[in-house]
Amino acid sequence: MKAYLVALRAIVEREVLRFVAQRGRFVSALVRPLVWLLVFAAGFGSALGLSIIPPYNTYVTYEVYIVPGLCGMVQLFNGMQSSLSLVYDREMGSMRLLLTSPLPRWWLLFSKLAGGTAVSILQVYAFLAIAAAFGIVMPPAGYLLVLPVLCLTGLMLGALGLALSATIRQLENFAGVMNFVIFPAFFLSSALYPLWKMAESSTLLYRICAVNPFTHAVEAIRFALHGQANLPAIGWTLVAFVLFLGLALLGYDPTRGISRKRSAGG
Amino acid sequence: MSVFGLKLEHLSFGYGADPVLKDVSFTVERGNFCALLGPNGAGKTSLFSLLTRLATTSTGRIEIAGIDLGTSPRAALARMGIVFQQMTLDLDLTVRRNLSYYAALRGLSGRDAERRIDAALERLELGEKSSVRARDLNGGHRRRTEIARCLLHDPEILLLDEPTVGLDPASRAAITDHVHRLCADEALTVLWATHLVDEVRAEDDLVILHRGGVLAHDTARRIAGGQTVEKVFLDMTAVTS
């Protein structure tokens, strides 16, 4: 058991150290949601009327409404970036180092996910701190209560990235990930508008939004930030995590996975 | 206990319909240095993927220090030290941190890991480089760091896939010497894939791999039979080309 924890710690530490060393990645991880929060929300908020819906018990500004969605976006981007770094890592060989460790593969991949999640949580808290500096604050307890939810949502979005990296070779360029994963996940969710708004314009789109795991991640974060547990959303996020992790494990199984499909020279 | 460090039986492997390895069988006795010589595209790297379980095949069997890789992969992996053809160091970390990361992946930590790291650096004469970032090392030292790293958990078998690719002749000779010495001093079984004939010594075991099949397996001296290994190798691979 000790060996497992030693490996987990080393992998998480390595991910965090790498992230801290890459200042550019930190800055862009923060600029992205801040542009949405400070620019997009200013323009779009006035066009969108929000009604009082749970977990809010009063009218909230649009900025307050989209903070949880942007927390989710930070984690979504980070999950995809980690998956790309896996593809890159695999080319560079350090993934080979990981996969030839005698520890079980599921544990190694889980550790890798935990590392990516830790990085995404650092990003989310930095974002929340800057938002607070601009006067967009959540209830104080929310900042603490959101932590366990962020662990789960980070793992789920990381596992999605891992599953994609294991199965789809074309995802090596980020534009493809943006077009086919990040944008649909983000726009077909409750990140930018409540789902009842979507239902007014299209039932089909509403249904897609309602099954989108990213919607459930955002709602779990939203409720936690306001001191409440949205159990169905947490449950769906958990189910999605298990599903994506299962797909990722299949993808990295040497008897059927990508290592088999990839040709090697020499 | 098996006397074989490494045993391959009837391995076949391919991507789709293209066979890359065809019925490959050979054994390396415990404590021997075996050069796996083959031109580019012979299937050496595919064979390494199978040996390190990055890929698997349903035909054939691999035994590592007496352990079946197919049925007990983790126990087998625990006995291997691997140096891949592509460099796998984290360039932003120091030599020591690269080694401690690897140690942790094998469940080693604390004083035990530190002691092993010191010993491995010593063995590869890298003591003074321990706090240098991998990025600042030359190619030869990077390779040596990788070899030091793969010794941390006291493996019984070293697998090295073209470890001297891209190095200058002096570094190449130094690394080849180091690994031969390790093999002699510590009775490690070594499988050394290469396409460079000058890395093979007369007393080494030699497996010549060509187009996915084993053309010859014996000591290099016997395969050469009074000629140079290079001539025999070129003749063999030319005849079947």
Side-chain angles (χ1 to χ4, degrees):
Chain A
M1 194 60 209
K2 184 173 166 256
Y4 284 50
L5 295 178
V6 167
L8 171 69
R9 199 181 124 191
I11 294 169
V12 171
E13 252 179 31
R14 178 172 179 262
E15 292 292 310
V16 172
L17 281 177
R18 263 163 59 124
F19 174 67
V20 173
Q22 298 169 342
R23 290 212 189 92
R25 192 175 145 202
F26 198 11
V27 171
S28 66
L30 285 178
V31 166
R32 203 177 299 118
L34 286 172
V35 166
W36 282 89
L37 184 65
L38 304 175
V39 182
F40 174 82
F44 190 68
S46 53
L48 182 90
L50 287 173
S51 60
I52 299 176
I53 50 163
Y56 309 111
N57 43 27
T58 176
Y59 282 107
V60 292
T61 62
Y62 185 61
E63 281 84 353
V64 169
Y65 178 82
I66 67 166
V67 162
L70 296 178
C71 292
M73 185 176 86
V74 167
Q75 290 197 305
L76 179 64
F77 261 93
N78 188 70
M80 294 309 125
Q81 253 169 353
S82 307
S83 77
L84 282 190
S85 93
L86 278 174
V87 173
Y88 174 74
D89 263 5
R90 198 163 40 208
E91 307 298 3
M92 288 298 287
S94 72
M95 193 64 187
R96 287 184 177 172
L97 206 63
L98 200 70
L99 295 179
T100 49
S101 156
L103 290 171
R105 209 164 268 205
W106 66 266
W107 179 256
L108 296 164
L109 293 177
F110 173 80
S111 300
K112 190 93 183 158
L113 281 180
T117 303
V119 166
S120 78
I121 289 174
L122 288 178
Q123 293 172 353
V124 167
Y125 273 105
F127 164 68
L128 286 173
I130 297 174
F134 280 93
I136 305 158
V137 287
M138 306 289 132
Y143 289 105
L144 196 63
L145 291 170
V146 80
L147 180 60
V149 172
L150 288 175
C151 289
L152 177 64
T153 51
L155 284 173
M156 187 273 279
L157 295 168
L160 171 64
L162 195 60
L164 290 173
S165 81
T167 48
I168 305 172
R169 192 167 154 70
Q170 281 74 18
L171 282 183
E172 280 168 43
N173 94 47
F174 204 67
V177 180
M178 291 276 282
N179 284 338
F180 294 107
V181 183
I182 294 181
F183 283 157
F186 186 59
F187 292 120
L188 288 168
S189 79
S190 59
L192 297 177
Y193 18 73
L195 289 194
W196 64 264
K197 279 268 181 198
M198 195 54 121
E200 279 179 357
S201 14
S202 159
T203 320
L204 176 67
L205 286 181
Y206 166 76
R207 289 203 178 121
I208 296 173
C209 294
V211 295
N212 180 359
F214 186 69
T215 297
H216 297 291
V218 169
E219 290 310 302
I221 295 170
R222 186 188 310 286
F223 277 72
L225 273 174
H226 289 83
Q228 298 173 39
N230 183 337
L231 292 178
I234 291 173
W236 277 114
T237 309
L238 190 63
V239 168
F241 169 55
V242 172
L243 186 74
F244 294 148
L245 185 63
L247 284 175
L249 290 176
L250 277 182
Y252 279 95
D253 179 349
T255 57
R256 54 196 303 165
I258 193 143
S259 45
R260 198 177 159 75
K261 286 178 222 140
R262 284 180 178 236
S263 63
Chain B
M1 285 284 268
S2 158
V3 294
F4 297 116
L6 181 64
K7 190 173 184 181
L8 283 71
E9 288 175 339
H10 307 296
L11 277 185
S12 294
F13 180 67
Y15 300 100
D18 302 330
V20 179
L21 295 173
K22 289 170 278 190
D23 196 25
V24 171
S25 298
F26 65 88
T27 53
V28 185
E29 274 180 46
R30 207 173 274 261
N32 276 14
F33 184 107
C34 178
L36 179 68
L37 187 62
N40 289 331
K44 299 190 295 293
T45 296
S46 295
L47 188 59
F48 264 75
S49 293
L50 293 179
L51 287 169
T52 53
R53 211 170 173 266
L54 288 170
T56 55
T57 174
S58 53
T59 35
R61 191 167 167 276
I62 297 172
E63 212 178 273
I64 305 284
I67 296 164
D68 188 326
L69 181 66
T71 55
S72 313
R74 289 172 48 202
L77 283 170
R79 283 161 178 79
M80 281 183 217
I82 307 162
V83 175
F84 291 107
Q85 192 174 344
Q86 284 169 318
M87 209 262 306
T88 57
L89 294 175
D90 193 327
L91 293 177
D92 294 317
L93 297 184
T94 63
V95 167
R96 179 171 283 276
R97 284 209 75 123
N98 264 295
L99 266 61
S100 61
Y101 175 66
Y102 179 88
L105 288 183
R106 306 246 156 189
L108 304 167
S109 64
R111 276 205 200 135
D112 180 32
E114 292 302 314
R115 189 182 52 74
R116 287 165 184 265
I117 290 168
D118 288 335
L121 290 175
E122 182 85 5
R123 260 194 278 187
L124 273 293
E125 295 163 24
L126 283 166
E128 63 201 36
K129 302 281 181 199
S130 84
S131 50
V132 176
R133 274 195 329 163
R135 192 179 296 284
D136 301 325
L137 294 176
N138 66 31
H141 282 124
R142 286 183 189 178
R143 268 309 189 203
R144 255 151 75 180
T145 304
E146 289 193 295
I147 295 171
R149 184 177 63 179
C150 83
L151 296 173
L152 285 177
H153 57 292
D154 295 327
E156 291 169 49
I157 294 190
L158 291 192
L159 302 172
L160 303 102
D161 187 8
E162 308 216 17
T164 57
V165 159
L167 299 183
D168 60 70
S171 307
R172 235 161 38 84
I175 287 188
T176 315
D177 283 350
H178 267 299
V179 176
H180 273 94
R181 220 176 304 142
L182 278 171
C183 181
D185 295 350
E186 320 209 3
L188 278 167
T189 310
V190 175
L191 184 67
W192 174 285
T194 184
H195 63 274
L196 301 165
V197 180
D198 61 350
E199 291 176 359
V200 184
R201 298 183 179 176
E203 67 276 16
D204 291 342
D205 273 0
L206 176 60
V207 171
I208 296 182
L209 193 69
H210 184 50
R211 295 188 165 183
V214 174
L215 288 188
H217 176 210
D218 207 328
T219 61
R221 180 176 288 117
R222 276 205 285 263
I223 288 178
Q227 306 183 59
T228 62
V229 174
E230 181 167 16
K231 169 138 187 16
V232 174
F233 172 60
L234 289 176
D235 287 349
M236 275 188 179
T237 49
V239 166
T240 50
S241 287

